[in-house]
């Protein structure tokens, strides 16, 4: 059965990962037709327009979250309840991930991987040089940063693009504010919370981190930031686990050349994002069959393991022996045993409009040193309570 | 990406105008547009005139001035970013060779970054303006140039006072092309600064795109788009009436 | 007020040569007219003097200064282009005043001059029009005006009056003459209008085939054309020609007719029997009782007078008669050819004898 | 001191030196990004990560170029940008011809035949030129799917023609408007109809502007990828889709050397056009047409 | 071969009115010449007939068909534009043959016609040049050629020979006359050249101030001008005028001079004492022993003859004399004004009496 998949995994590591899926599907007797389109928006534009234009692909990639809601509402997606039932997703997957693909009690997409978004990656060479050990919570963090700064290195390698500014903010929010606060903030969007002192503390920490970022950060790509860590020019970077791809490409090994950790003051809190494949309604029954087959294959343990290794992500199902994964991945899976550690990323909690609005405010806050915390809070309130 | 049929109330406009990013975008567009169009026209005209002086290697030079136009901003924007980035580009270079005092960090200064965009945009568009004006220049009747020479004009005044007015059409074309690229300005901002630092280099088109395609905020997006179109109409309509009025005067025979 | 002289000037457009090692001296303050068939190189010559076309070889000097390599603006010239070459975007006023503004003349002075020029060109009320809103003749007048307002050392006129009506042309002819006297500037004037040439010129040069055929006063050129070409080219209605040879007694013989040449002022004595051609201007043919017999073959009324065509020795000969003369095709006439007004050319070379 | 004789010698005057100086300096400024791109494409990734971006490469390695052309992975296929090259050509040629043709005719009509409501139409076209084209994609897809133009060469050609129309019309209208009106009069007297006088008299006089139009359209069409993506269909995807896949990624690791090489390679076609186009910038194309 | 008639045609450029309710009938196969000062609306009229300028009101019909709304190409016309309007990108051959190619004529035929036209325009060897490589006159000839090759019902010539030399002009005049006879086509011809007008025309219309002043045969217009304007405008050297009044005995009186008008053919009898103006053409002034006395004030040589200026009752009067006449400024002359060649105008209205 022919299965055309539209995705935006075009970089070296990503393609390698896709290849795993392709092989698996081919092995299962299907033919994988690969349509790679770099850039989420581009890929989604193409995919959705083709669906609308009456030539839907078998599957299309989305970020875990609410990106495909409008398609669901427009009744353009086929559900994969059968697969979900067969593989018993509710049991084997973290709740946030399952909820992310569930609408009105039906499963409209297959979660193919999980990305942690609030990682700290440390350059061990730098830590050794300044004689610091890898911090595990926010109290320990700042002394380390200061040491690195004193050593004349860049304490925190950063990419000043909005999405990563938001990433950093989320990291602080979930790390210092805790899972509950994070979920309330994005999920309930209660202005009162934004006004709370706890939130202000988060804001101040975020602002404080700014002083450990170098001038070049503003227009840097995230991977250039990673490069700084790899080079030993910077001490650490806050990024999703896809950053491991850069380390790997530069021939560095997790745990040996670089360390990874999630800092939190209230027990482990792991921000779960990731990718899902949605399945637009097909004309022919045969095509629909292909979708079922595809979904099934993608989530088979073997496929998942092989994929995660290449992709640097972790499996979307936790019932598999992950000993072959790297240190960081194993850490993550370890934490996820505890459901409290499973924190849905903001894409899962809030509609893109809100995310974007908050993103703008956060970005302003970081780039305008004269912006007071109060002003920030006001703006945030406005953003979360805007009309949609 | 899918249009929703939800009624967009006036409140969308209210929240638009109170939206700081939008305000910044509009301000940027005004500043950028003014500077960019002026500079591109000036530089383009200068290049066209100089290229027209029967110089050696005209084809090569013309291509050099045009090539920026041939590449999408996705990568040339990156190149500019590197060049202008204080930690990678010119500033670093200067400091490496000992000029530790050298500072060239407009790209990361919220109140300066827009000039960097203008810079790159002019670099990108000047060649096209040159081409358009060159086509016009070459069309001018040689006898008129002779007359001007007899009237005792130095070359530069011939171009400024005799030819430039005769190129009205070409200038109009160029200006409108530039203006459209200003209003549609998107790639450059994305590629060079992605609106940053913060929202310092945001522009309306990007505002619309983001809200339309990435944030699914159709309401705000349409409100913004409508506002833009209204503004454009407000500029274009009088312009056209004027040109039509002038056209009645008849044309060069 | 400066003389113009060309030394073996040669001009070529690509392969084709337009002027061939031309030597020409035009005195300071002289009014010099260039005559010649269409395409003989008149405009080219003016352009060369103005410095608008490069000479392939030779030198051009104005006011004693060698300006061969100088820019037009450094030659102190004003020019009326055959194609007008008006500035389309400027009003008539703008066109006329432009040269002056460039020269940085005072506003008031400029205005005054433009007004004056406009006045004598009869276009005062057109000053604010664009060239595209003018008639052909009006455009040409703008072109003239643009030159008139300047005070240059040398004025170059390229058929300046060609598309104006006779009346205006006559008036402007006078104006130009006045200007010439007032400024005492050197004027080089291309025209196809015989009257213009003959009334305005101090000297006339008749050009053809990349060369100057004759250079002289209007009277010379008209009355003693240097060769057959000049004879045919100058004067309208044109001169008539009769082929024949020199008789034993030195008179002109053609068939049964014989014309006495005793009164003829020979440039070079022909040998008896030499084949020659006799040129007669219509107005010099006189009717006389005792004369050569002819039959009228055609009659052309030309307003002031009429032209009657007859034949001498197979050659058509035209006679100018008063307009009111009663004469019709078929009438027999007797005519006389006054020796001192005739022109005699060697048949082979066409050179005047 | 030699006395001037004959043709003015082409010696370098101060003005001319200044002129060349200005041109060369400007050229240098224009070329800096190109320089950065070239050197980057010749460096190794570690060298690039090291961050000395303006410096010359330690050693030339053209590997990136090879990768860009035929090896870089874009999803599963690892054939570099060459993949879509012929598709691009197949899209470019007809789109170019049609869009310029249509634009020329429209411009000609507007400026010489002054149809009723012409100015309004023109104004409308210009207004449309200001709207970001992304906005039209969705409705167009809808219409296309109705008439079944989706995923066809004809479809994408039509799209390029439509999006090119405003600029093309603008170019040609303003060019024709500058030509002496007498010529169209003469053509009408000679009995030439709409097409005859367009094809045999106006078009030949539009050569320089046609070149400009080509520059605009070649660039626009060649570099477009989103339209190609949406309307051309899988088997017609232009090479820019591959290019985009190489240079554009959110969370994947980046290979700048290949990015640069790929971009430069892709730009070769427009650059060629620019270079050749020069000889059609003819001088005084309307010279000698009218007196006065 | 089709007649052209205009019924109260009015043409305006924006505010300014160029033609004012003009009525004109031109017979089929007629050779019709338009004369008039520069800017009087001649070209506009031709353009209107060709359908190139919209008429504000009135109708135009060609060959009895009302063509007011029709496209030029449906009017069966050929036209020589005053501004040439050559196709710059086509060779001379291309320019000439375009009309024929459009008409879908056979290649051979086209070639033949072009060759012929080129031959009589003396530009056979220029056929492959572009207009920009031609001299002014050569360009004009291309414009003529473009019309000559066509066989249209109506030919419109707008100053077709203005920048050609006298010789070529004379030749082409004849050629056009021949063409007219051969095709029998209607020809409407604008010119400023009196000779052209008088020799070619069947009828002449003299225009001025948006109106036609006189419409008649060349002889009429020249010898019996309808008003003072026509009198001054037609004929060069121009007519001289003397102001005065009608004496008791019906003769013309001005100061101490008196001219007998018994031989004058009056259009309308003037009343004694009526202020009038007397027009005399230079060629009609005869020298006579018994005549009005005058002193020569200026002498203009004009090739074929010379023009001497004297004064009658303060008014300058020109006399045409043979070129070889011995006469100098200051000489006293006695002249006679032959009554039947004079023109008398009412001083107020300027109308002919
Ligand atoms: N586009 C225009 N706008 C306004 N007035 C115009 C325009 N074109 C011509 N005119 C005026 O109309 C009048 C008639 O023009 P036209 O060309 O018919 O004159 P003409 O008799 O041909 O003169 P000429 O002998 O100089 O060619 C002129 O006074 C001219 O100024
Ligand atoms: N650009 C050119 N290329 C080739 N030949 C040219 C060019 N310009 C002019 N000529 C030729 O040079 C000759 C002289 O041209 P020029 O304009 O001087 O003639 P002219 O005496 O002014 O004629 P006219 O009286 O018609 O204006 C003509 O035969 C013409 O064909
Ligand atoms: Mg000439
Ligand atoms: Mg006219």
């Amino acid at each position: 059965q022919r299965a055309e998949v539209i995705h935006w995994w075009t970089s070296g590591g990503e393609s390698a990962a896709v290849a795993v899926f392709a092989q698996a599907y081919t092995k299962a007797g299907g033919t994988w037709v690969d349509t790679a389109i770099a850039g989420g928006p581009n890929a989604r534009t193409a995919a959705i327009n083709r669906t609308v234009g009456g030539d839907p692909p078998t599957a299309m990639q989305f970020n875990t979250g609410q990106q495909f809601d409008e398609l669901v509402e427009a009744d353009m997606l086929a559900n994969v309840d059968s697969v979900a039932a067969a593989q018993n997703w509710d049991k084997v997957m973290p709740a946030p991930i399952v909820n992310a693909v569930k609408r009105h009690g039906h499963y409209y997409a297959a979660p193919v991987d999980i990305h942690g978004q609030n990682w700290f990656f440390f350059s061990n060479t730098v830590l050794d040089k300044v004689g610091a050990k890898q911090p595990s919570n926010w109290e320990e963090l700042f002394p380390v940063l200061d040491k690195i700064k004193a050593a004349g290195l860049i304490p925190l390698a950063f990419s000043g693009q909005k999405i990563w500014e938001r990433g950093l903010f989320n990291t602080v929010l979930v790390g210092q504010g805790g899972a509950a606060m994070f979920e309330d903030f994005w999920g309930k969007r209660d202005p009162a919370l934004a006004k709370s002192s706890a939130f202000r503390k988060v804001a101040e920490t975020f602002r404080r981190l700014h002083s450990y970022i170098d001038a070049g950060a503003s227009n840097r790509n995230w991977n250039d930031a990673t490069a700084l860590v790899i080079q030993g020019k910077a001490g650490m970077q806050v990024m999703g686990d896809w950053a491991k791809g850069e380390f790997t490409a530069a021939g560095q090994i997790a745990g040996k050349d670089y360390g990874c950790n999630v800092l939190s003051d209230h027990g482990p809190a792991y921000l779960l994002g990731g990718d899902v494949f949605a399945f637009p309604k097909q004309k022919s029954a045969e095509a629909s069959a292909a979708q079922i087959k595809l979904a099934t294959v993608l989530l088979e343990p073997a496929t998942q393991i092989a994929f995660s290794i290449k992709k640097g992500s972790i499996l979307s199902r936790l019932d598999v022996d992950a000993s072959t994964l790297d240190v960081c991945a194993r850490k993550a899976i370890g934490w996820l045993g505890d459901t409290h550690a499973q924190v849905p990323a903001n894409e899962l909690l809030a509609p893109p409009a809100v995310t974007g609005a908050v993103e703008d405010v956060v970005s302003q806050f970081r780039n305008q040193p004269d912006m007071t915390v109060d002003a920030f809070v006001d703006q945030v309130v406005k953003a979360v309570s805007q009309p949609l | 990406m899918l249009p929703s049929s939800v009624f967009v109330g006036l409140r969308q406009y209210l929240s638009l105008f109170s939206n700081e990013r939008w305000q910044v975008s509009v301000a940027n567009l005004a500043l950028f547009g003014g500077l960019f169009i002026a500079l591109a026209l000036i530089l383009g005209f200068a290049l066209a005139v100089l290229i027209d002086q029967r110089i050696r290697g005209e084809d090569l030079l013309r291509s050099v001035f045009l090539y920026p136009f041939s590449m999408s901003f996705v990568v040339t924007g990156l190149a500019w970013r590197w060049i202008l980035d204080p930690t990678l580009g010119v500033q670093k270079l200067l400091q490496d060779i000992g000029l530790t005092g050298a500072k060239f960090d407009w790209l990361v200064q919220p109140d300066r970054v827009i000039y960097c965009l203008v810079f790159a945009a002019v670099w990108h568009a000047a060649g096209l303006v040159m081409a358009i004006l060159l086509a016009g220049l070459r069309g001018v009747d040689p006898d008129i140039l002779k007359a001007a020479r007899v009237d005792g004009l130095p070359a530069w005044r011939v171009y400024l006072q005799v030819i430039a007015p005769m190129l009205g059409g070409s200038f109009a074309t160029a200006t409108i092309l530039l203006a459209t690229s200003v209003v549609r300005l998107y790639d450059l901002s994305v590629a060079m600064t992605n609106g940053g630092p913060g929202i310092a280099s945001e522009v309306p088109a990007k505002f619309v795109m983001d809200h339309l395609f990435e944030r699914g905020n159709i309401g705000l997006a349409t409100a913004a788009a409508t506002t833009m179109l209204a503004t454009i109409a407000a500029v274009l309509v009088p312009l056209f009436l004027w040109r039509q009025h002038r056209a009645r005067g008849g044309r060069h025979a | 007020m400066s003389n113009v002289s060309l030394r073996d000037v040669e001009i070529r457009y690509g392969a084709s040569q337009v002027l061939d090692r031309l030597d020409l001296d035009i005195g300071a303050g002289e009014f010099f007219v260039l005559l010649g068939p269409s395409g003989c190189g008149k405009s080219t010559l003016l352009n060369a003097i103005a410095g608008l076309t490069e000479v392939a070889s030779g030198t051009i000097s104005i006011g004693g200064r060698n300006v061969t390599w100088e820019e037009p603006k450094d030659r102190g010239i004003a020019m009326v282009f055959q194609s007008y070459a008006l500035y389309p975007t400027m009003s008539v006023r703008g066109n006329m005043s432009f040269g002056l503004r460039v020269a940085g003349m005072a506003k008031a002075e400029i205005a005054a001059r433009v007004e004056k020029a406009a006045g004598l060109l009869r276009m005062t009320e057109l000053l604010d029009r664009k060239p595209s809103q003018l008639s052909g003749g009006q455009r040409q007048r703008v072109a003239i005006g643009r030159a008139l307002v300047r005070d240059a050392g040398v004025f170059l006129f390229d058929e300046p009056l060609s598309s104006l009506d006779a009346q205006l042309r006559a008036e402007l002819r006078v104006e130009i003459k006045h200007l010439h006297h007032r400024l005492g500037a050197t004027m080089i004037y291309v025209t196809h209008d015989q009257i213009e040439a003959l009334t305005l010129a101090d000297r006339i040069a008749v050009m053809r085939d990349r060369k100057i055929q004759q250079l002289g006063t209007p009277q010379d050129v008209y009355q003693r054309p240097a060769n057959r070409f000049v004879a045919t080219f100058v004067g309208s209605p044109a001169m008539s020609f009769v082929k024949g040879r020199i008789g034993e007694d030195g008179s002109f013989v053609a068939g049964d007719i014989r014309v006495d040449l005793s009164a003829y002022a020979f440039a070079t004595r022909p040998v008896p029997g030499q084949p020659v051609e006799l040129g007669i201007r219509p107005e010099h043919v006189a009717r006389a009782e005792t004369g050569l017999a002819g039959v009228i073959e055609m009659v052309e009324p030309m307003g002031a007078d009429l032209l009657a065509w007859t034949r001498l020795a197979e050659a058509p000969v035209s006679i100018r008669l008063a307009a009111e003369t009663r004469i019709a095709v078929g009438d027999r006439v007797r005519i006389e050819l006054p020796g001192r007004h005739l022109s005699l050319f060697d048949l082979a070379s066409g050179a005047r004898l | 001191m030699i006395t001037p004789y004959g043709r003015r010698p082409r010696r370098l005057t101060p003005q001319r030196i200044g002129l060349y100086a200005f041109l060369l300096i400007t050229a240098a400024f224009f070329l800096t990004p190109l320089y950065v791109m070239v050197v980057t494409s010749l460096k190794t990734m570690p060298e690039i990560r090291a961050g000395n971006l303006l410096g010359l490469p330690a050693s030339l390695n053209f590997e990136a170029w090879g990768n860009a052309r035929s090896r870089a992975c874009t999803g599963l296929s690892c054939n570099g940008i060459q993949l879509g090259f012929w598709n691009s050509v197949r899209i470019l040629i007809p789109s170019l011809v049609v869009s310029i043709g249509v634009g020329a005719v429209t411009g000609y009509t507007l400026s010489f035949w002054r149809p009723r409501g012409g100015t309004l139409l023109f104004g409308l076209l210009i207004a449309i030129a200001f709207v970001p084209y992304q906005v039209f994609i969705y409705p167009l897809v809808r219409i296309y799917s109705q008439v079944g133009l989706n995923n066809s060469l004809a479809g994408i050609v039509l799209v390029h023609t439509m999006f090119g129309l405003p600029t093309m019309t603008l170019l040609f209208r303003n060019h024709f408007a500058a030509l002496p009106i007498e010529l169209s009069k003469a053509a009408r007297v000679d009995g030439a109809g709409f097409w005859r006088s367009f094809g045999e008299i106006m078009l030949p006089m539009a050569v320089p502007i046609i070149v400009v139009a080509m520059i605009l359209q070649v660039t626009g069409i060649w570099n477009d990828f989103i339209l190609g993506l949406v309307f051309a269909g899988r088997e017609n995807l232009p090479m820019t889709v591959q290019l985009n896949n190489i240079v554009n990624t959110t969370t994947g690791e980046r290979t700048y050397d290949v990015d640069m090489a790929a971009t430069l390679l892709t730009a070769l076609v427009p650059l060629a056009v620019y270079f050749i186009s020069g000889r059609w910038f003819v001088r005084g194309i309307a010279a000698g047409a009218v007196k006065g």
Side-chain angles (χ1 to χ4, degrees), chain C residues 258-280:
Chain C
R258 151 179 311 272
V259 179
D260 171 29
L261 295 177
S262 48
Y264 183 78
F266 282 98
T268 56
R269 279 262 160 229
V271 296
Q274 178 177 354
V276 297
E277 207 163 0
L278 187 69
I280 316 126

Side-chain angles (χ1 to χ4, degrees), chain C residues 15-324:
Chain C
S16 68
Q17 187 190 39
V18 179
L19 293 184
D20 180 9
R21 356 202 94 274
L22 184 96
D23 281 322
L24 184 59
D25 283 291
I26 301 170
E30 184 176 11
F31 201 117
F32 190 88
V33 167
L34 275 174
L35 277 183
S38 169
C40 71
K42 304 181 292 299
S43 303
T44 309
L45 181 55
L46 290 198
N47 276 287
I49 294 172
L52 296 171
T53 35
E54 283 214 355
V55 297
S57 74
T59 65
I60 298 173
S61 28
I62 297 178
R65 210 165 91 268
N66 182 335
V67 295
T68 315
W69 291 346
E70 293 200 8
E71 272 296 301
K73 64 172 162 50
D74 307 324
R75 300 189 180 202
I77 50 166
M79 183 166 180
V80 177
F81 288 83
Q82 187 173 14
S83 63
Y84 314 159
L86 305 178
Y87 306 125
T89 52
M90 298 185 195
S91 68
V92 171
R93 179 178 281 107
N95 269 278
M96 289 194 185
S97 59
F98 193 60
L100 304 181
R101 280 184 279 131
V102 172
M105 183 181 283
K107 286 249 177 310
E109 173 67 1
I110 294 179
R113 290 196 179 201
V114 171
E115 282 306 327
K116 186 152 177 308
L120 58 89
L121 291 165
R122 314 272 181 284
M123 39 190 344
T124 314
E125 68 288 350
L126 300 177
L127 275 175
D128 296 317
R129 291 253 190 100
K130 290 278 171 67
S132 60
Q133 302 172 302
L134 295 177
S135 80
Q138 290 165 334
R139 286 177 197 174
Q140 187 166 42
R141 282 182 269 165
V142 179
I144 302 171
R146 204 161 53 170
L148 290 192
V149 292
R150 311 268 309 277
D151 32 28
V154 180
F155 283 82
L156 306 171
F157 294 97
D158 199 344
E159 305 185 20
L161 309 177
S162 59
S163 50
L164 301 179
D165 55 89
Q167 195 181 7
L168 191 53
R169 201 181 297 181
E171 291 166 3
L172 290 183
R173 217 159 60 212
V174 178
E175 293 298 346
I176 292 176
K177 195 86 182 166
H178 285 340
L179 183 77
H180 180 231
H181 284 141
R182 211 179 65 248
L183 301 181
T186 312
M187 296 200 167
I188 307 178
Y189 192 104
V190 174
T191 182
H192 288 311
D193 182 324
Q194 307 269 336
I195 306 302
E196 253 168 65
L198 297 172
T199 51
L200 287 174
D202 296 329
R203 280 194 307 160
I204 294 179
V206 181
M207 292 177 65
R208 183 206 193 185
D209 306 345
R210 330 192 326 270
K211 284 207 176 41
I212 290 181
Q213 301 289 327
Q214 182 171 8
L215 186 59
T217 66
Q219 286 68 14
D220 278 357
V221 173
Y222 189 79
Q223 285 155 18
R224 319 191 71 255
N227 58 39
R228 196 180 181 292
F229 166 73
V230 176
T232 43
F233 188 77
V234 178
S236 86
M239 187 183 263
S240 333
F241 293 93
V242 184
K243 286 195 180 56
R245 51 182 176 67
I246 298 299
E248 299 313 321
D249 60 355
S251 63
F252 172 83
V253 182
D256 57 356
I257 70 165
R258 151 179 311 272
V259 179
D260 171 29
L261 295 177
S262 48
Y264 183 78
F266 282 98
T268 56
R269 279 262 160 229
V271 296
Q274 178 177 354
V276 297
E277 207 163 0
L278 187 69
I280 316 126
R281 293 209 179 278
E283 70 268 20
H284 291 145
V285 182
R287 296 175 74 180
E289 296 325 310
T290 70
L292 308 163
V295 178
I296 300 302
E297 300 184 336
M298 179 166 84
V299 178
E300 274 189 289
M302 303 204 305
D305 27 41
L306 60 75
L307 212 59
W309 291 85
T310 176
R311 256 177 213 290
L312 293 182
E314 276 68 67
V317 173
S318 60
I319 315 170
R320 193 178 77 171
L321 302 166
E324 58 277 16

Side-chain angles (χ1 to χ4, degrees), chain A residues 291-312:
Chain A
Q291 293 180 320
I292 301 302
K293 179 177 196 134
L294 184 63
T296 320
V297 172
L298 296 186
L299 287 169
E300 274 158 2
T303 326
Q304 282 285 310
I305 289 285
F307 179 85
S308 305
I309 292 172
K310 290 271 193 295
K311 185 74 165 56

Side-chain angles (χ1 to χ4, degrees), chain B residues 3 50 52-56 62-63 67 69-70 75 82 119 123 138 169 173 177 184 209 240 244 251 253, chain D residues 16 20 22 29-30 34 111-112 114 129 132 138 167 174 182 219 223 263 271 274 278 281-284 292:
Chain B
L50 297 183
D52 195 41
Q53 304 303 309
R54 305 176 183 283
I55 53 165
R56 290 209 192 74
R62 203 187 47 256
S63 313
Y67 91 91
F69 189 63
S70 73
V75 168
W82 287 352
F119 197 67
W123 167 82
R138 296 279 167 96
T173 311
L177 282 185
R184 284 157 44 160
M209 298 297 167
F240 259 92
Q244 223 176 340
R251 53 213 253 195
Chain D
R16 236 166 143 73
Y20 278 108
F22 179 88
F29 154 64
F30 270 70
L34 188 63
S111 55
F112 281 118
R114 308 275 176 86
Y138 178 76
T167 21
N174 286 357
E182 272 84 349
T219 316
N223 285 341
T263 312
L271 285 177
Y274 298 171
F281 279 110
V282 275
R283 253 172 233 280

Side-chain angles (χ1 to χ4, degrees), chain A residues 133-152:
Chain A
K133 62 176 275 290
Q134 186 172 305
S136 59
N137 62 39
W138 292 84
E139 269 53 42
E140 298 172 13
L141 174 63
F142 287 99
V144 177
L145 286 171
D146 291 325
K147 275 195 184 147
I148 302 173
K149 195 170 188 175

